Amino acid sequence: ANRLGEVGRRAEGLAAAEEAVDLYRELVTLNRDAHLPDLAMSVNNLAVALGEAGRRAECMAAAEEAVNLYRELAANEPSLYAEHLARVQQIKSAVEDLLPTQSSPHGQA
């Protein structure tokens, strides 16, 4: 998914990222501990791909999910996942800055 996006094939990259998330969700139901790190990474990659596609609201939802997944991982193994958690929190914060707020004139219809 990332490589496709890097070579300008963003639509295909986004589809691959969505498929990866779907597959890892299924695997997590079978063995959460083994596959949760891969799901977290895939959801983060999906958030980035959605952001690059201009789908900011969906990007925000994926970024929030990635933060929650990495938060769970970091709680159990901080030395492995604290850095990942910090990175996805930065992505989420950057996306929040791009989204219109309800009180903003840009956010009104």
Side-chain angles (χ1 to χ4, degrees):
N2 291 341
R3 301 284 183 247
L4 288 167
E6 289 170 4
V7 296
R9 295 168 60 184
R10 289 201 171 113
E12 292 171 87
L14 179 56
E18 290 171 332
E19 184 177 350
V21 168
D22 291 342
L23 292 170
Y24 282 118
R25 283 191 202 290
E26 288 182 37
L27 290 171
V28 163
T29 64
L30 300 172
N31 186 337
R32 185 171 183 81
D33 292 339
H35 299 290
L36 191 62
D38 294 320
L39 176 60
M41 179 183 61
S42 294
V43 171
N44 182 60
N45 291 343
L46 177 60
V48 171
L50 288 165
E52 289 174 350
R55 294 166 57 181
R56 292 181 181 150
E58 293 169 274
C59 171
M60 185 63 194
E64 286 177 3
E65 182 180 359
V67 166
N68 290 334
L69 293 170
Y70 275 115
R71 192 172 283 139
E72 179 181 340
L73 289 164
N76 294 325
E77 296 185 67
S79 63
L80 288 176
Y81 297 107
E83 187 175 318
H84 294 286
L85 175 59
R87 197 169 335 152
V88 296
Q89 286 174 321
Q90 288 175 336
I91 291 169
K92 180 179 173 268
S93 179
V95 173
E96 284 175 332
D97 290 344
L98 297 173
L99 290 174
T101 61
Q102 296 217 349
S103 61
S104 166
H106 295 62
Q108 296 176 355

